[in-house]
Amino acid sequence: MSVELDVFVGNTTIMDEEVYQLWLDGYTVNDAVKVRMEGGVMDECEASKDVLLSDTMDQYRTFQMCERLLHSPAKLANQLLFQIPPHRQIMLIERYYAFDDTFVREVLGKKLSKGTKKDLDDISAKTSVTLKSCRRQFDNFKRVFKVVEELKGPLVENIRQHFLLSDKLARDYAAIVFFANNRFETGKRKLQYLSFQDFAFCAGQLISNWTVGAVDNMVEDMDVDLDKEFLQELKELKILITDKDLLDQHKSLVCTALRGKTKVFIEMEGSFKNLSRGLINIAAKLTNTKDVRDFFIDLVEKFIEPCRSDRWSAADMKLYLTHYTNSAHILDTFKHQVVWDRYMGVVKSCIFKMYHD
Amino acid sequence: MPGKLKAKIVAGRHLPVMDRASDLTDAFVEVKFGNTTFKTDVCPKSLNPQWNSEWFKFEVDDEDLQDEPLQITVLDHDTYSANDAIGKVYIDIDPLLYSEAASVISGWFPIYDTIHGIRGEINVIVKVELFNDLNRFRQSSCGVKFFCTTCIPQCYRATLVHGFVEELVVNEDPEYQWIDRIRTPRASNEARQRLISLMSGELQRKIGLKVLEMGGNAVVGYLQCFDLEGESGLVVRAIGTACTLDKLSSGSAPNTNTHMHPNTAPASNACNSPSKDGKEPVFVEDLPSSSGPPTPFRALPTSSSPPPFSPSKPCSRQSSSSDTDLSLTPKTGMGSGGSAGKEAGPLRTLLRQQTQTALEQRGASSSGLLLNAREFPFFTLTSFPPGFLLHVGGVVSARSVKLLDRIHNPALGNTRSYKLLDWNSVTADEPETRDAWWEEIRQEIKSHARALGCHAVVGYSESTSICEEVCILSASGTAAILNPRYMREGCLDIGCTDHRFEEPSPPNCGFCHIPYDELNMPFPAQLTYCYHCRRQKVPDVLFTTIDLPSEAAVAGKGCLIQARLCRLKKKAQGEANATAISNLLPFMEYELHTQLMNKLKLRSMNALFGLHIQISVGENMLLGLASATGVYLTALPAPGGIQIAGKTPGDLSSEHISSIQKRINDTIAVNKELYQINPPKLFALDPEVFCGINMELAEEGVGSPIPEPRHRSRLFRSHSESSDELSELDLSHGKKDAFVLEIDDTDAVEDIHSLLIDAPPPTGFYSCNTENMPGISNWTSGVQMFTSVRVLRLSNANLTNQGLNKIFTDLCENLLKSFYFKLRSMIPCCLCHLNFTVAVPEEELIQVTVTAVAMTYDKEQTQEKTAEKPVNKGSLEAEEQLQFPLELCADSSSSNIQTASKISGVGESTNMSPRAASVDYGSFADRCSTWLELLRLKAHTIRRGSVKTSRRTQSLAHSVSSLERCSPLQEGRSRSLRSSRSFGGSSVTVVKMTPLSFLPGTRIIKYLGIINMFFIRETTSLREEGGVSGFLHSFIAEVFAMVRAHVAALGGNAVVSYSMKECVFMENPNKNQAQCLINVSGDAVICISETDQESSASTANTGQTGGSETDGAT
C-alpha cells in the first residue's frame, strides 16, 4: 500500500514561509521534514509525520512550478496560473533573490561563467551552503548580470525595476554585477578579512563616482564600466609625487594640520611620502585593466597595511585622509582639483570602510 | 439571422518560444465559430505580439450561439513546414445571450494545449448583438438563466417554482472512434473537448426550451454530468429546477428595495424583456380579486410569464379556474398532479417524444402513465425560502445496475448531425435507453417518497459510477411536503396534501414533523411529540440530503460525519458481474447506514443534513462513502448512547467490554463538549411539557448515554439489476436493538474500534459538507477554496474486507488531517462543503478527490450569539425571498389592512399577524421571537432608506425605476473592476472561488452566467513533469487559472457554487504517460464587500446612463 499520487491545490496558492526557506536553502524533502519536526510544527495541529511529508512535498512542488516565474519576477504579477496576494509575491521574490554573504564573498569579482559554476561544489563544501542553494544564487547573479548588461539607465534602478527587489537588495546586486564586470580581485588572502558588505559599499562608491553614469546617465553600461576619460585624467595626479616641491609642500600642509591632534603624529609624518606615493600610483595605473582588478588589493597593501602596522586608529586614519585630501586644494601649482576630489572622495570612503580588523 | 458575434484579438503575452533558432515566435491567431474561420496577421518574432485585429464578425443563428463555443487557436507561422499550434482558447458565449448578465467578454485568457498545458495568454474581446427573434419555431432558448447554485440566488426572488427539468444527449466518444488510431493524441483530445463543449451547449439549450415551455425564465440547481461510457459512447445529462425569478432591483441596497411594492417593480424588469411589462399590472389586478380562499398565489402564473423573446410560444395558459383541476384525482395510483390536456403545444409534444418512446418501450402503455412520467415533483434545490419546506420525510434513494451497450448513433462521424437527432430521427431508439433508465429510477424515487407520505423530493441529485461495461445509476433526494403556494399548479401531486397545509407549523421545527400517517407508518419508527412545539410528532432521527433550513433550531455546532466502506468482489464479466454487484449493494447500504447512525450517536446528535452516499464500482471491489453533516435539532429527542454487549453474559471478555463501553461513553461526553451540545430545556416555554407527555426528557437532557429502545431508518431504497428485477429493502434494524452493539467476534471489535478511530478536528477547526455550518454564521472574510486528490495503490493482493476498510478509512481521515494542518494559519476556521468523491480507476487503485472551502470566523461572537444568529439570518432571507407570498397571504386574509399598511415596511410585517391569528399555532414564544426579529429588521431597513415609500411619491418612484432599468450599479461595478484590472497591465483581478452559494462579508450584485468547462490534459513525459503528482498538481492549477480568467473576462470577481464534477485520472508509468479529464462548473458573479456597497452604489448612480443604454440595447 503506497500513496501513488497526492496533491493539494488552493485557489489562493498556499505557501509556508518556513518551508520556502528550507527549499531555498536546498534541503531535500526528507531533510526538510526533519527540520520541521524538530521545529515543533507537529504539535500545532496534531499532525503526524505523514501529514508533514505530504505538506512538504506539495509545497516543494508549488515552489518548483513557481521557480520559472521567479526567474522573471515581473511575470509573477501578471501570470494567471497562481493566485498569490501581492505581499506574498514580494516575499517570494525577495527571498528567492536573497543570498548568503559567505557564498557571494567567494564568487565576488569572478567571471560568472560555466567554469565558475563548475567550482560551485568546492564553494559549497567550503561555505557549508548546499550545492543546490549555491546554484540558485549563482544563477541569480548571472541572470541579473545578463539582463542589466544590455540596459540603459542607472544600474540599481534597473535591477530594482526588472527584478522587483527592495532597494537594499538591488544595491547588493548592483555591486555584484559591478564586481563581476570589472573582475576585481577579492579572493587574495590579504583581502579575506573584508566582508561582502565592505565590498558592496565600495562598489556603491565607485558606481556613483567613477563610472560613465556619474557624468552622463543615458549611456549603455553606464554604471558598469569605469569612466575611461577619468582614468586617463588620473595620470595627471602623478605630479603630486613626481614634483618634489609639491610633495614637500603637501606634506608640510598636512603635518601642520595634524600636529597635536593625534598620538601617531610621528608615524604619520614619517610615512607621508610612502603613503602618498602609494595612493597616487594606484590612481595613475588605473588605465590598465589588470591594475583595476588589483585596486582593492593595492589599497590594502599600499595604504591600509602600513597604517595598521603603525597602529593608526580608525579616527587617526580619517583625520589623516581628510587633511591629506583638503590640503591638496591649497597647493596653488596643483591644477587638477576636480579629478583629485573625484578620486580621493571614493578612495577615502573605501579606506574608511575597509579599515578594520 | 438572429445574432451577430464579434471578436477582436488584441494581443498575446508570455508566448512560448517556438523557433529555437531565434528564441522567438511568429504568432498568428485563427478565430473560428461554427464553420467560419478568420485569421489575424502574423506578428513576427515576438513573444508578446500585438495583433490589434479588426472585429471578426460571425452572423449566426442563436441556436448556434447557444451550442457552439468560440474557438481561438494561436499558431506559430512556419514558412516551410506546417504551422505549429501553440494552443487554444474556448470561450463559451452563453453569458452574453441574456442581457442581465455580462455585456462583453474581454480579458486575458490562458492559451491551453492539451499536451503542454498553459502556454502564454491572449487578450480577446467578444461581443454579441442579438436581434429579437420573431421566429415562432425557433429552437433556441436564449434568455433563460442558468444557476449552479442550489438555492434561490441572492439578488433574485423566486416568484414561482415550476419543477424538475432534465435532458440528456449522447454521442460517440471521439477517443473510441476508429480515426483515433491514426490521429495524434492532441487532435483526439481536442475533438473530445470540442464535442463535449458542443454537447453541453446543446443540452443547456434544450433544457432552456423546456423551461420556456413551462413558463419559467431560469434554471436553478443546474447539475450537469458526463458519463464516459467508453466504447459505448458518451452521455451528457443534466437536471435542474425550473423557476421564474425576479431580479431584486439594483442590488445596491437590497433591503430597501425588497420593500418596494411590486407595483413599482415593472421598471426593474423592463430591461429584461418587453414582454414582461405586461406582467405586473396584471398582477395588480389580481390582487384584489384573488381574495378567494385557496392560495391566490396560484392565480399568478396565469398571465405572468410569457417567456421572454417568444411571444408566440404556446405558453401554458392556465386560467385561475384551474384551481379546480388540482383536485382531480390522478388517473393512476402513482400519479402526479393532473394538468391533463393543458400543455399540448406541438413543440412540447415533440420534446417529450423521447420520454414517450422510452416509456412505451418499457411496455408502459397508457397515456395516463405518460402524464405521470411527465412531471417529476423533484427539486434539485437544497435550501429554500422559509415557509417553502413544510415537512421532511427522510432520504429516498434508488440505485440500479446496468450493462452498457453501444449507443447506436445513426449520425456517426458527423459532428453536426447528431444535433438533429432528437428532432428528426425519433426512430433512433438507443439514446432513449438512457432516458428510460433514469425514468425508471425517478419513478422509484417518487414511489418511495409517496410511501413516506410526501409529494415532493427535494435536494435531488443523480450520479453514475462506471467500470468497464457495468454502470451503477444512483439517485437520491429527500422526501418532503412543500408549500403549494410556491408551485405552479400541476407540478405537485396535490392529491396527497392534507390538513397540514392549513395548519402552518412553527418555522424552526415544522420541517421535522412527520409527513406520514402515524398509524400507517412506512417503517418502524419511534415517534415523540416535537420537543419544540409539542403539537406534532417527530421522529427520533432525521436524515436528509438538503441543507439545514436557516430557521431550524439547533443546539451547538454541526460536524462532518462519514461512513466508509470497502467490499471486495470477484472479477467477472457481463451479466454475472452486474448480478454480483447488485447483490452486494444492499449490504453496503445497510452497513453505511449503520455506521452513520452509530457515528451520529457517538457525537450525540440526532439529524443528518446534506447526506450524500456514493458507491463506486471497480473491477474487484466496491467503495462506499457516505458524507453528511450531523447536527442536534432541538425539536428532536436527545439521542441515546451506545451500549456494548457481549454475545453471552458473563463472558470472559466482560472486562474488555466494559472498557470499550467506557471509551464510548467518554467519547460521547467529549463530543458533547466539543460541539457545544447543550440542548435548551423547554419546560418554561411550554406548559404542556409539565403535563408529562415525555418524562424521560429530564434524563435525556442530562445526557446519560442510556440506550434507546429502538431505532428506525429513514433510508428507503431499492435495487434493480439489469434484469429489471425490483427488490425493496427496509433498512431498519427490525426487532434488533440498534444501539446495543454486540461483540460476538473479532470483526465486531474491529468495527467498534473503527468507530472510535475518527479523530475530532483539532481545536479551532470545524467541518461540514453543507452550505451553512450549523452553529456558525459570523464569518470573517478569509476564504480558501481547495481541491485535493489522493490515489492509493494497494500492493497487497490478499486483502480482506476489514483490511480494506481500515485502509480506506485511514485514507479519508489522513486527508482531513492534512487539510487541518495546511490550513492551520486560518484558525479559527471551518471547512465547509467538504465534498468527497471516490473512484476505483484501476484494479488496485483508490482515488479520493476532495473539494471544499475553508472559511474563517469570529470566535468571540460565536460563543455569545450562536443562539440568535441563525434566526436572524433566516428572517433576513425571509425578507428577500418571502415578501411576495407574504403579501399575498395578507391579501387573502384582509385586504383592508393591506392597503393601509403597505406603505411602510412595518406595516407589511404586521400583515403577518392577521394570518397568524387565524391559525392555531403551538409555541407562541418561538414564533414570537422570529417575528420580533423580523420587526427589528424592518425597523432597521426603514432607517436605511426611503425608497420603499416611493410608490406614493411619483417623482421618486420614477427615479428609482430609471435607476433600475439601466441597472447602473452592475454596469458601474463591472466597469470599475475592468478598469482596475487594466491599470498598468500588470495586476490580475483576484477571483475568489467557493463551492458555497455565498461569499462571507460580501453581497452578490450580479450573476454573470454559468461556468461549465471541460479540459483534457495528457502527457508523454510524465517523469519530466514531476511524476503523477506534479502532472496533476499543475493541471488542477491550470484549471483554476482558466476558470478565474473566464470569470474575470466576464467582469466578475468570484465563482460561487463551484464544483469539480469529474476528475478522471489515468496513468501508464511504464510508458511515461498520463491523462486526466476535469469538468468544473459554477456561477460567475460580481460581489461587493458589504461595507462599501453603499458608497459604490452612490458612485454608480452618477453618470452611468450612457453605459447602461448600450446594455439595454444588446
Side-chain angles (χ1 to χ4, degrees):
Chain A
M1 190 191 74
S2 58
V3 175
E4 179 95 358
L5 181 161
D6 179 19
V7 296
F8 176 102
V9 190
N11 182 36
T12 306
T13 309
I14 293 183
M15 288 166 174
D16 185 310
E17 292 189 30
E18 189 204 342
V19 186
Y20 186 49
Q21 196 54 56
L22 292 170
W23 178 73
L24 288 175
D25 290 345
Y27 283 80
T28 62
V29 173
N30 286 329
D31 289 348
V33 168
K34 265 181 220 147
V35 173
R36 294 183 82 187
M37 277 164 75
E38 282 156 18
V41 75
M42 295 232 291
D43 311 329
E44 270 181 52
C45 240
E46 302 160 28
S48 65
K49 195 187 170 191
D50 288 345
V51 167
L52 217 54
L53 181 68
S54 147
D55 179 60
T56 313
M57 298 259 269
D58 258 327
Q59 304 237 15
Y60 267 52
R61 249 192 331 262
T62 311
F63 300 140
Q64 269 152 25
M65 286 196 257
C66 274
E67 193 164 16
R68 186 178 49 87
L69 297 164
L70 285 165
H71 290 167
S72 42
K75 271 190 191 167
L76 197 65
N78 59 15
Q79 52 84 32
L80 304 174
L81 190 57
F82 298 103
Q83 189 157 277
I84 306 170
H87 69 275
R88 284 257 142 168
Q89 292 182 13
I90 293 169
M91 182 279 290
L92 284 179
I93 297 168
E94 195 75 9
R95 293 244 187 125
Y96 189 79
Y97 282 91
F99 48 78
D100 292 305
D101 278 4
T102 51
F103 170 75
V104 71
R105 188 62 190 76
E106 294 297 320
V107 292
L108 196 63
K110 285 191 181 147
K111 200 174 172 189
L112 299 174
S113 64
K114 282 192 179 136
T116 316
K117 198 169 176 180
K118 275 181 192 147
D119 299 337
L120 285 182
D121 40 1
D122 293 341
I123 298 177
S124 166
K126 187 178 170 192
T127 58
S128 69
V129 174
T130 59
L131 184 58
K132 206 175 156 233
S133 179
C134 288
R135 291 215 174 105
R136 169 182 61 84
Q137 297 181 34
F138 183 80
D139 288 341
N140 282 344
F141 300 155
K142 209 170 155 180
R143 193 174 314 112
V144 173
F145 185 89
K146 264 195 149 178
V147 167
V148 295
E149 212 177 19
E150 292 156 6
L151 289 172
K152 291 177 180 173
L155 183 61
V156 176
E157 196 49 38
N158 279 342
I159 293 174
R160 205 167 56 194
Q161 278 186 2
H162 262 263
F163 294 92
L164 308 174
L165 298 178
S166 67
D167 192 56
K168 169 80 177 64
L169 203 50
R171 279 177 197 286
D172 285 351
Y173 268 95
I176 293 164
V177 169
F178 184 74
F179 267 74
N181 189 57
N182 292 291
R183 310 271 303 280
F184 288 107
E185 178 59 65
T186 65
K188 287 272 161 55
R189 209 176 47 82
K190 280 180 179 168
L191 293 176
Q192 283 306 319
Y193 79 101
L194 291 169
S195 72
F196 168 71
Q197 285 309 326
D198 295 334
F199 283 118
F201 174 83
C202 298
Q205 290 296 314
L206 266 74
I207 290 169
S208 45
N209 295 300
W210 284 8
T211 56
V212 197
V215 254
D216 178 355
N217 60 4
M218 273 328 279
V219 207
E220 209 164 290
D221 283 345
M222 56 173 242
D223 281 347
V224 188
D225 294 339
L226 294 174
D227 185 352
K228 290 268 156 52
E229 280 177 40
F230 165 69
L231 296 182
Q232 280 298 332
E233 285 167 8
L234 282 178
K235 286 193 188 286
E236 314 285 338
L237 297 182
K238 272 199 132 173
I239 193 157
L240 281 176
I241 45 169
T242 48
D243 187 325
K244 186 94 174 46
D245 286 351
L246 217 50
L247 185 61
D248 290 338
Q249 212 176 341
H250 194 187
K251 182 182 173 183
S252 69
L253 279 170
V254 174
C255 289
T256 321
L258 287 173
R259 194 185 303 273
K261 288 182 184 162
T262 165
K263 287 177 186 166
V264 286
F265 176 72
I266 311 287
E267 289 87 346
M268 282 182 181
E269 196 177 24
S271 54
F272 178 87
K273 284 188 179 169
N274 258 339
L275 292 176
S276 187
R277 265 191 211 110
L279 285 179
I280 285 162
N281 276 329
I282 293 174
K285 284 194 302 179
L286 279 177
T287 39
N288 272 334
T289 330
K290 168 78 186 64
D291 291 306
V292 171
R293 288 183 194 171
D294 289 340
F295 177 69
F296 291 100
I297 192 122
D298 286 347
L299 279 186
V300 170
E301 281 178 351
K302 301 281 157 54
F303 193 89
I304 294 173
E305 279 184 343
C307 297
R308 213 185 274 155
S309 62
D310 283 348
R311 301 183 182 280
W312 295 21
S313 71
D316 296 333
M317 157 78 63
K318 275 189 185 168
L319 195 69
Y320 175 81
L321 277 178
T322 314
H323 288 293
Y324 176 74
T325 312
N326 293 345
S327 304
H329 295 300
I330 313 169
L331 303 167
D332 21 301
T333 45
F334 183 61
K335 302 286 183 232
H336 311 285
Q337 304 290 356
V338 181
V339 180
W340 176 249
D341 273 350
R342 192 171 168 191
Y343 176 70
M344 277 315 289
V346 170
V347 168
K348 204 164 65 180
S349 41
C350 286
I351 293 177
F352 286 171
K353 191 72 187 175
M354 292 161 69
Y355 196 77
H356 63 80
D357 296 327
Chain B
M1 200 53 65
K4 191 189 272 180
L5 172 69
K6 300 196 295 182
K8 183 185 174 106
I9 308 298
V10 183
R13 67 181 183 196
H14 307 157
L15 293 188
V17 170
M18 297 300 282
D19 180 2
R20 290 272 159 75
S22 65
D23 265 8
L24 289 166
T25 295
D26 306 321
F28 70 100
V29 181
E30 276 182 12
V31 187
K32 188 177 175 197
F33 190 82
N35 294 321
T36 318
T37 308
F38 292 101
K39 278 183 195 174
T40 65
D41 298 332
V42 175
C43 186
K45 305 211 182 304
S46 171
L47 298 182
N48 300 290
Q50 299 287 325
W51 289 289
N52 237 325
S53 77
E54 60 189 294
W55 283 99
F56 300 121
K57 299 188 183 79
F58 303 88
E59 295 182 333
V60 279
D61 287 338
D62 48 357
E63 188 189 336
D64 287 340
L65 282 174
Q66 282 193 294
D67 288 6
E68 298 259 358
L70 180 68
Q71 185 180 321
I72 294 165
T73 314
V74 186
L75 298 114
D76 176 50
H77 176 76
D78 206 325
T79 323
Y80 304 108
S81 60
N83 298 327
D84 295 322
I86 296 173
K88 288 194 174 191
V89 179
Y90 292 97
I91 301 179
D92 178 16
I93 42 172
D94 216 45
L96 294 180
L97 299 183
Y98 42 95
S99 51
E100 265 174 61
S103 57
V104 61
I105 298 176
S106 161
W108 289 99
F109 292 89
I111 302 167
Y112 181 72
D113 178 70
T114 58
I115 305 293
H116 293 102
I118 290 179
R119 303 171 101 189
E121 289 128 34
I122 185 169
N123 195 323
V124 182
I125 307 174
V126 185
K127 286 181 179 175
V128 168
E129 275 172 36
L130 264 191
F131 313 127
N132 261 351
D133 181 20
L134 298 173
N135 176 7
R136 56 167 58 213
F137 298 112
R138 77 208 183 95
Q139 295 171 356
S140 79
S141 54
C142 294
V144 175
K145 293 180 281 289
F146 284 80
F147 300 92
C148 293
T149 301
T150 56
C151 59
I152 301 303
Q154 280 180 40
C155 78
Y156 284 96
R157 182 178 58 184
T159 54
L160 217 54
V161 180
H162 299 273
F164 190 59
V165 278
E166 48 76 32
E167 186 63 86
L168 64 78
V169 290
V170 296
N171 201 65
E172 287 228 340
D173 192 336
E175 186 100 340
Y176 294 88
Q177 283 167 347
W178 67 269
I179 194 171
D180 205 59
R181 286 178 210 157
I182 53 167
R183 66 180 163 194
T184 63
R186 176 183 283 121
S188 166
N189 291 339
E190 280 171 5
R192 233 172 155 192
Q193 279 191 172
R194 193 180 126 78
L195 177 70
I196 289 190
S197 176
L198 272 170
M199 285 171 81
S200 37
E202 182 197 357
L203 192 71
Q204 212 169 313
R205 173 173 58 82
K206 286 185 170 176
I207 293 243
L209 274 174
K210 289 190 176 182
V211 171
L212 289 180
E213 191 63 24
M214 292 166 121
N217 64 4
V219 181
V220 182
Y222 184 68
L223 175 73
Q224 186 192 288
C225 295
F226 299 97
D227 297 332
L228 301 167
E229 295 184 354
E231 285 287 337
S232 64
L234 197 138
V235 178
V236 187
R237 58 192 162 79
I239 55 176
T241 306
C243 293
T244 302
L245 295 185
D246 259 7
K247 189 136 172 67
L248 281 174
S249 28
S250 77
S252 58
N255 287 349
T256 41
N257 285 320
T258 333
H259 290 273
M260 248 172 30
H261 188 271
N263 281 5
T264 58
S268 70
N269 292 313
C271 67
N272 305 348
S273 70
S275 60
K276 273 196 180 169
D277 264 347
K279 172 180 179 175
E280 307 297 337
V282 180
F283 172 48
V284 180
E285 279 168 37
D286 273 357
L287 273 180
S289 68
S290 61
S291 49
T295 56
F297 191 84
R298 239 182 270 135
L300 226 115
T302 314
S303 44
S304 64
S305 7
F309 297 111
S310 75
S312 61
K313 179 93 9 119
C315 65
S316 45
R317 287 214 155 248
Q318 294 127 352
S319 65
S320 42
S321 68
S322 64
D323 278 353
T324 51
D325 287 2
L326 287 169
S327 55
L328 280 175
T329 38
K331 283 170 189 161
T332 69
M334 48 206 301
S336 61
S339 46
K342 256 186 270 170
E343 325 243 25
L347 195 57
R348 170 112 215 158
T349 338
L350 193 59
L351 255 176
R352 296 305 318 177
Q353 245 156 7
Q354 273 192 28
T355 331
Q356 269 184 55
T357 35
L359 283 167
E360 274 155 15
Q361 269 185 345
R362 286 175 56 224
S365 52
S366 72
S367 63
L369 214 158
L370 169 69
L371 251 185
N372 297 328
R374 203 184 62 74
E375 307 253 42
F376 288 102
F378 294 172
F379 300 87
T380 52
L381 302 179
T382 58
S383 64
F384 304 89
F388 188 94
L389 197 64
L390 291 182
H391 305 290
V392 169
V395 169
V396 283
S397 76
R399 281 180 217 285
S400 126
V401 183
K402 299 288 186 191
L403 274 177
L404 296 171
D405 269 329
R406 196 176 185 82
I407 301 175
H408 173 67
N409 194 340
L412 231 168
N414 186 340
T415 41
R416 285 292 298 179
S417 55
Y418 77 90
K419 200 185 276 185
L420 304 169
L421 184 72
D422 304 295
W423 301 99
N424 301 333
S425 48
V426 200
T427 45
D429 52 358
E430 292 294 341
E432 278 99 63
T433 316
R434 302 291 182 277
D435 246 345
W437 287 355
W438 287 111
E439 200 81 12
E440 200 177 283
I441 287 205
R442 289 173 195 141
Q443 283 295 356
E444 211 173 305
I445 291 270
K446 198 163 93 175
S447 64
H448 289 326
R450 291 183 58 83
L452 284 170
C454 296
H455 63 198
V457 176
V458 294
Y460 179 74
S461 66
E462 296 174 346
S463 62
T464 56
S465 169
I466 297 171
C467 177
E468 304 284 314
E469 49 188 0
V470 175
C471 173
I472 304 182
L473 309 182
S474 317
S476 72
T478 305
I481 292 183
L482 304 179
N483 195 332
R485 282 191 288 114
Y486 296 83
M487 299 300 140
R488 200 190 61 169
E489 51 218 294
C491 175
L492 289 182
D493 179 6
I494 309 294
C496 79
T497 61
D498 54 43
H499 59 282
R500 285 189 200 85
F501 290 140
E502 281 81 60
E503 189 185 339
S505 336
N508 45 12
C509 67
F511 71 94
C512 307
H513 300 164
I514 51 160
Y516 36 86
D517 191 351
E518 198 184 332
L519 298 171
N520 188 15
M521 279 195 299
F523 41 76
Q526 181 169 14
L527 303 178
T528 47
Y529 275 99
C530 172
Y531 277 53
H532 230 275
C533 66
R534 296 275 147 201
R535 314 255 344 148
Q536 305 229 12
K537 291 289 179 71
V538 293
D540 52 349
V541 262
L542 187 64
F543 283 14
T544 73
T545 59
I546 56 170
D547 286 319
L548 179 71
S550 49
E551 67 272 22
V554 164
K557 309 255 195 309
C559 80
L560 178 79
I561 293 180
Q562 281 192 324
R564 302 127 182 167
L565 191 63
C566 270
R567 281 285 174 141
L568 289 166
K569 85 171 178 61
K570 285 210 176 70
K571 271 196 233 176
Q573 296 290 315
E575 195 89 14
N577 195 19
T579 315
I581 291 170
S582 45
N583 286 343
L584 266 175
L585 283 179
F587 295 100
M588 291 194 68
E589 295 223 30
Y590 176 85
E591 206 153 312
L592 284 172
H593 186 259
T594 314
Q595 262 191 47
L596 280 178
M597 192 60 92
N598 287 336
K599 288 187 176 177
L600 187 67
K601 296 273 168 189
L602 207 57
R603 283 168 181 79
S604 190
M605 295 174 181
N606 57 18
L608 286 181
F609 287 90
L611 176 63
H612 181 75
I613 300 180
Q614 198 201 351
I615 293 189
S616 278
V617 58
E619 266 183 68
N620 60 343
M621 67 171 118
L622 286 171
L623 282 183
L625 180 66
S627 311
T629 301
V631 70
Y632 185 103
L633 289 176
T634 52
L636 265 49
I642 297 174
Q643 200 164 53
I644 306 293
K647 184 80 177 171
T648 46
D651 205 317
L652 276 175
S653 59
S654 65
E655 252 176 57
H656 182 58
I657 287 172
S658 65
S659 83
I660 295 180
Q661 177 73 58
K662 187 171 179 305
R663 269 179 71 197
I664 287 185
N665 292 353
D666 289 350
T667 312
I668 292 180
V670 165
N671 280 334
K672 266 195 170 175
E673 189 95 348
L674 184 65
Y675 301 111
Q676 298 157 19
I677 296 170
N678 308 304
K681 306 209 173 70
L682 295 168
F683 306 94
L685 273 178
D686 197 331
E688 273 186 56
V689 180
F690 287 126
C691 303
I693 295 176
N694 209 343
M695 284 314 286
E696 81 235 35
L697 174 72
E699 278 177 76
E700 285 172 7
V702 184
S704 65
I706 44 154
E708 283 275 300
R710 237 239 220 100
H711 145 259
R712 60 121 208 71
S713 147
R714 280 268 154 279
L715 211 70
F716 229 77
R717 64 351 148 223
S718 73
H719 309 272
S720 56
E721 48 175 279
S722 44
S723 57
D724 259 7
E725 167 200 326
L726 229 95
S727 69
E728 233 173 78
L729 188 110
D730 180 6
L731 266 192
S732 69
H733 297 243
K735 299 275 172 277
K736 197 174 137 200
D737 188 343
F739 297 108
V740 175
L741 295 179
E742 283 185 7
I743 300 185
D744 43 7
D745 56 11
T746 45
D747 281 6
V749 177
E750 282 291 312
D751 283 345
I752 290 167
H753 277 301
S754 69
L755 255 188
L756 292 164
I757 233 171
D758 284 13
T763 334
F765 273 109
Y766 288 99
S767 56
C768 67
N769 75 334
T770 46
E771 282 269 313
N772 36 23
M773 170 68 191
I776 298 178
S777 57
N778 44 327
W779 303 110
T780 47
S781 56
V783 172
Q784 171 67 276
M785 190 282 295
F786 61 87
T787 290
S788 182
V789 184
R790 214 170 260 199
V791 177
L792 209 63
R793 183 176 286 280
L794 308 164
S795 48
N796 188 352
N798 312 319
L799 276 168
T800 58
N801 276 333
Q802 292 286 354
L804 267 176
N805 277 347
K806 173 100 173 62
I807 289 170
F808 185 38
T809 304
D810 285 349
L811 175 58
C812 296
E813 282 291 311
N814 287 340
L815 264 172
L816 283 169
K817 277 183 197 154
S818 269
F819 301 157
Y820 296 137
F821 180 74
K822 275 187 188 292
L823 300 161
R824 64 193 185 285
S825 64
M826 293 177 79
I827 287 179
C829 124
C830 176
L831 300 186
C832 292
H833 214 286
L834 270 164
N835 183 15
F836 279 67
T837 318
V838 290
V840 191
E842 269 172 53
E843 199 172 319
E844 280 171 349
L845 296 183
I846 299 180
Q847 178 187 331
V848 180
T849 311
V850 188
T851 298
V853 63
M855 302 206 291
T856 54
Y857 63 92
D858 190 340
K859 203 169 186 175
E860 302 312 309
Q861 273 181 45
T862 348
Q863 245 100 54
E864 296 155 24
K865 296 194 179 171
T866 28
E868 65 179 280
K869 268 274 176 174
V871 182
N872 204 337
K873 189 179 169 235
S875 52
L876 190 111
E877 270 162 23
E879 278 308 279
E880 287 162 23
Q881 300 178 336
L882 240 192
Q883 181 236 7
F884 210 48
L886 258 187
E887 283 180 336
L888 282 158
C889 297
D891 296 337
S892 63
S893 49
S894 56
S895 50
N896 54 340
I897 290 184
Q898 164 225 346
T899 38
S901 61
K902 211 160 261 166
I903 307 145
S904 75
V906 183
E908 274 177 40
S909 55
T910 51
N911 282 350
M912 270 182 71
S913 56
R915 169 174 150 243
S918 69
V919 294
D920 170 22
Y921 50 86
S923 84
F924 182 72
D926 286 315
R927 268 195 157 260
C928 205
S929 70
T930 43
W931 185 53
L932 281 175
E933 284 296 333
L934 209 75
L935 270 178
R936 196 184 306 159
L937 220 96
K938 301 261 183 185
H940 180 63
T941 42
I942 287 169
R943 255 178 278 125
R944 285 182 62 168
S946 58
V947 195
K948 76 184 79 58
T949 57
S950 61
R951 195 165 73 105
R952 283 293 162 89
T953 331
Q954 197 61 36
S955 60
L956 229 177
H958 182 75
S959 74
V960 169
S961 62
S962 69
L963 183 151
E964 283 160 3
R965 181 181 326 115
C966 22
S967 58
L969 178 59
Q970 289 91 328
E971 268 306 298
R973 190 67 197 177
S974 57
R975 202 151 296 201
S976 68
L977 278 173
R978 199 157 281 150
S979 64
S980 75
R981 191 174 60 238
S982 58
F983 268 135
S986 61
S987 60
V988 178
T989 320
V990 173
V991 175
K992 291 193 173 182
M993 288 162 76
T994 175
L996 305 176
S997 62
F998 66 96
L999 271 169
T1002 65
R1003 226 193 136 73
I1004 296 171
I1005 56 165
K1006 196 172 182 183
Y1007 281 82
L1008 299 163
I1010 200 167
I1011 296 281
N1012 186 3
M1013 298 167 101
F1014 177 84
F1015 298 104
I1016 302 177
R1017 180 87 152 78
E1018 189 167 344
T1019 184
T1020 47
S1021 51
L1022 190 58
R1023 272 187 297 276
E1024 293 76 3
E1025 293 197 38
V1028 282
S1029 295
F1031 170 70
L1032 194 61
H1033 192 137
S1034 54
F1035 184 35
I1036 294 174
E1038 282 168 352
V1039 169
F1040 284 0
M1042 287 185 278
V1043 170
R1044 287 193 301 256
H1046 277 77
V1047 172
L1050 286 168
N1053 60 0
V1055 184
V1056 295
S1057 301
Y1058 168 84
S1059 72
M1060 182 176 283
K1061 282 193 244 126
E1062 207 83 59
C1063 179
V1064 185
F1065 180 75
M1066 287 157 288
E1067 56 165 333
N1068 190 343
N1070 297 332
K1071 282 190 179 171
N1072 206 16
Q1073 287 175 341
Q1075 192 193 35
C1076 186
L1077 293 81
I1078 286 183
N1079 175 221
V1080 295
S1081 67
D1083 294 325
V1085 298
I1086 303 176
C1087 61
I1088 52 169
S1089 158
E1090 243 155 20
T1091 46
D1092 66 37
Q1093 71 184 66
E1094 309 279 331
S1095 56
S1096 69
S1098 60
T1099 50
N1101 282 354
T1102 54
Q1104 279 291 343
T1105 22
S1108 46
E1109 267 165 25
T1110 52
D1111 184 35
T1114 32

